[in-house]
Amino acid sequence: MKPVKVGLLGLGTVGTGVVRIVEGHQEDLASQVGSPIVIEKILVQNKNKARNIAIDQDKLTEDPWDIIRHPDIDVIVEVMGGIGLTKEFILEALALGKHVVTANKDLMALHGPEILAKAQENRCDIMYEASVAGGIPIIRTLVEGFSSDRINKIMGIVNGTTNFILTKMSQEGASYLDVLKEAQELGYAESDPTSDVEGLDAARKMTILATIGFRANVALEDVSVQGISSVTKEDILYAKRLGYEVKLLGIAERQDDLISISVQPTMVKQSHPIASVNGVFNAVYVYGEAVGETMFYGAGAGELPTATSIVSDLVAVVKNLKLGVNGMQGSLAYKEKKLKTDDQISSKYFLLLKVADRAGVLARITQVFADFEVSLESVLQQPTPSNPEAEIIIITHDANKAAIQKVLATFESLEVVHKVKSVYRVEG
Ligand code: NAP
Ligand code: HSE
């Protein structure tokens, strides 16, 4: 049994996990694919860096071409991250007929179509299960498990850092900045947390999921993105009082051929299963026309969960190698996308307003909603210490995004509305 030789680009958190699983599960893996899987060479930036895994020093290289152009290496596993150079390495590997497994959501969200086309041109596999929701096999589920169905909605907590922050704010009543600091100290949030907290990481993952789920050529710029940095502990308190949790949700929806994709802090009804996904965990809820509701839950990051997805991809590539069917994935995104306009995107909304506390104010405010045909589900008013001012909480029935924007624009010039403190989409 000739071993299948793998070149690993990167030996950080995920790369170390890949080595552990390939070595630790060798017998099981070999029995599934019919030959041993061997990590032949590993690319690092600094060969002399201390590692928390014992590695044969001869396997390490600082020269990417040692691996990419290695004549005996059949599969490249890319876990170094980055976009520019990494794309060059992957395209070259595919051009040389090597199959590629990657965990790189940034690269796949931005350059997925080009990379997939290159793979197809060269009859190579490109697999990227670990790029979304770490250890949850959601890509394979969408591609294979739901191949017979039409998916109408994908709703996910796909960023663990922000879910950790929102969970702590909810459970401990802590402020956003205090929990962010704690997340950084625990190593969940990076020293520059922008990509996570401003929703960009989630948007990249939703680009990948929507492309696959709707079989359409979705691009990152199609995703409307709002992060969690403006979520306050007061908003979360109000949400809880009304029976909701605040979650950073990626939501991709389709009606007929029209789609919309967004990432935003969302008030989720506590009875919805996604509301109880806490801490760094991820979950993806998928609604299929035939299957109905399904939900997938698990670790969205970390050494071994992420490596599990990568090694499963590796097994799939090697099985294809044995069968001689690599590069037969076909086009995942064969449909031209048609994006919904704001007047076609519909959901419930939560609004928290600070208003003058005197006769007729509520009537003036509800009239604005009526003027734009937004129907209200519930209205709650309470006095505040700064009299004569009151806080009004409104939850609408399903309303289109354009109408809500018109309501908000009208409030700007309405003397009785002192401030629109918060606006959230509502789900569940
Ligand atoms: P990491 O810990 O920073 O490791 C990166 C590795 O790549 C290091 O071994 C580094 O070498 C090497 N490397 C980086 N740039 C290089 C270059 N230009 N030339 C040579 N070697 C280079 O990163 P990670 O957390 O494992 O993440 C890797 C990828 O997986 C990223 O795309 C990330 O988005 C994705 N991902 C990560 C997770 C997670 O839980 N961490 C989850 C899902 C997906 P040195 O060791 O010598 O510095
Ligand atoms: N920064 C990401 C998260 C890591 O917090 O979920 C996994 O992609």
Side-chain angles (χ1 to χ4, degrees):
M1 286 196 298
K2 194 169 151 261
V4 173
K5 294 189 177 170
V6 175
L8 187 60
L9 308 183
L11 187 60
T13 306
V14 182
T16 302
V18 171
V19 175
R20 283 195 216 284
I21 292 186
V22 168
E23 289 180 351
H25 300 185
Q26 189 54 239
E27 198 184 326
D28 288 337
L29 298 176
S31 72
Q32 289 180 71
V33 300
S35 56
I37 295 177
V38 172
I39 294 178
E40 184 73 6
K41 280 261 166 209
I42 304 173
L43 176 71
V44 290
Q45 284 186 106
N46 176 5
K47 278 172 71 168
N48 300 316
K49 187 168 154 180
R51 311 264 161 203
N52 56 6
I53 187 167
I55 290 282
D56 175 357
Q57 207 53 24
D58 289 345
K59 286 194 185 230
L60 299 184
T61 176
E62 292 173 11
D63 180 358
W65 305 113
D66 264 359
I67 297 182
I68 293 158
R69 298 193 177 133
H70 195 298
D72 300 333
I73 287 179
D74 299 307
V75 190
I76 302 288
V77 172
E78 185 277 303
V79 283
M80 58 184 272
I83 295 173
L85 255 186
T86 316
K87 178 182 160 202
E88 193 187 319
F89 296 165
I90 289 182
L91 289 177
E92 177 69 6
L94 293 168
L96 291 168
K98 298 188 192 307
H99 311 290
V100 174
V101 174
T102 176
N104 196 326
K105 69 243 164 183
D106 306 337
L107 189 64
M108 290 312 291
L110 290 168
H111 302 292
E114 186 182 347
I115 291 170
L116 290 165
K118 187 65 145 187
Q120 212 167 5
E121 185 187 316
N122 292 283
R123 296 287 298 270
C124 288
D125 284 340
I126 166 88
M127 301 209 179
Y128 46 101
E129 181 64 73
S131 66
V132 181
I136 308 175
I138 187 64
I139 292 183
R140 189 158 287 116
T141 300
L142 292 177
V143 173
E144 292 175 11
F146 291 132
S147 58
S148 58
D149 206 352
R150 279 169 61 86
I151 292 164
N152 285 339
K153 185 167 184 173
I154 303 171
M155 186 161 85
I157 293 176
V158 289
N159 183 272
T161 306
T162 46
N163 203 43
F164 172 83
I165 294 172
L166 292 173
T167 302
K168 279 257 170 184
M169 288 174 75
S170 170
Q171 291 179 349
E172 297 172 12
S175 77
Y176 166 75
L177 286 175
D178 286 346
V179 187
L180 173 60
K181 194 160 160 275
E182 188 184 342
Q184 284 171 320
E185 281 161 7
L186 287 168
Y188 292 139
E190 296 182 25
S191 49
D192 177 3
T194 315
S195 165
D196 287 324
V197 298
E198 295 308 340
L200 194 58
D201 176 80
R204 288 174 170 169
K205 292 166 178 167
M206 290 309 295
T207 304
I208 296 171
L209 292 184
T211 300
I212 298 169
F214 301 150
R215 320 269 193 254
N217 57 336
V218 175
L220 184 59
E221 55 270 24
D222 300 330
V223 186
S224 129
V225 189
Q226 187 197 335
I228 64 160
S229 54
S230 57
V231 176
T232 65
K233 57 182 181 185
E234 290 77 24
D235 292 343
I236 291 183
L237 203 67
Y238 275 124
K240 283 167 84 77
R241 243 188 254 164
L242 296 167
Y244 294 91
E245 292 292 339
V246 176
K247 296 287 177 193
L248 184 72
L249 289 192
I251 302 177
E253 287 177 297
R254 174 173 68 173
Q255 264 161 338
D256 302 320
D257 275 343
L258 289 176
I259 62 176
S260 65
I261 312 110
S262 60
V263 169
Q264 64 276 296
T266 307
M267 292 205 175
V268 189
K269 198 114 197 156
Q270 278 161 350
S271 55
H272 194 288
I274 217 161
S276 45
V277 174
N278 287 324
V280 290
F281 279 92
N282 281 196
V284 185
Y285 164 99
V286 181
Y287 188 89
E289 220 167 74
V291 74
E293 289 179 288
T294 59
M295 202 168 102
F296 305 86
Y297 169 87
E303 179 184 312
L304 291 176
T306 310
T308 304
S309 287
I310 290 170
V311 180
S312 296
D313 276 353
L314 191 52
V315 165
V317 170
V318 179
K319 281 182 178 169
N320 286 349
L321 258 178
K322 300 281 164 167
L323 295 168
V325 294
N326 298 102
M328 312 280 260
Q329 283 160 304
S331 177
L332 285 176
Y334 63 88
K335 282 188 194 159
E336 200 52 47
K337 72 190 165 207
K338 288 185 207 148
L339 295 174
K340 285 186 184 180
T341 50
D342 282 352
D343 58 350
Q344 293 169 318
I345 298 173
S346 170
S347 78
K348 288 166 48 160
Y349 284 89
F350 163 103
L351 294 95
L352 173 56
L353 313 176
K354 289 208 184 278
V355 302
D357 192 5
R358 60 171 193 263
V361 169
L362 197 54
R364 300 267 312 267
I365 290 169
T366 52
Q367 186 57 48
V368 176
F369 285 97
D371 290 345
F372 296 108
E373 292 179 31
V374 175
S375 168
L376 305 183
E377 181 186 281
S378 61
V379 179
L380 184 80
Q381 178 181 330
Q382 64 176 36
T384 65
S386 47
N387 276 329
E389 193 175 61
E391 282 180 340
I392 295 188
I393 296 158
I394 292 168
I395 296 185
T396 70
H397 282 298
D398 273 339
N400 73 61
K401 195 173 169 184
I404 292 294
Q405 281 161 352
K406 285 179 198 156
V407 167
L408 294 174
T410 308
F411 284 164
E412 272 176 32
S413 53
L414 201 66
E415 173 262 328
V416 296
V417 176
H418 295 172
K419 191 176 177 192
V420 177
K421 204 171 160 288
S422 356
V423 181
Y424 288 88
R425 182 175 169 145
V426 175
E427 282 288 328

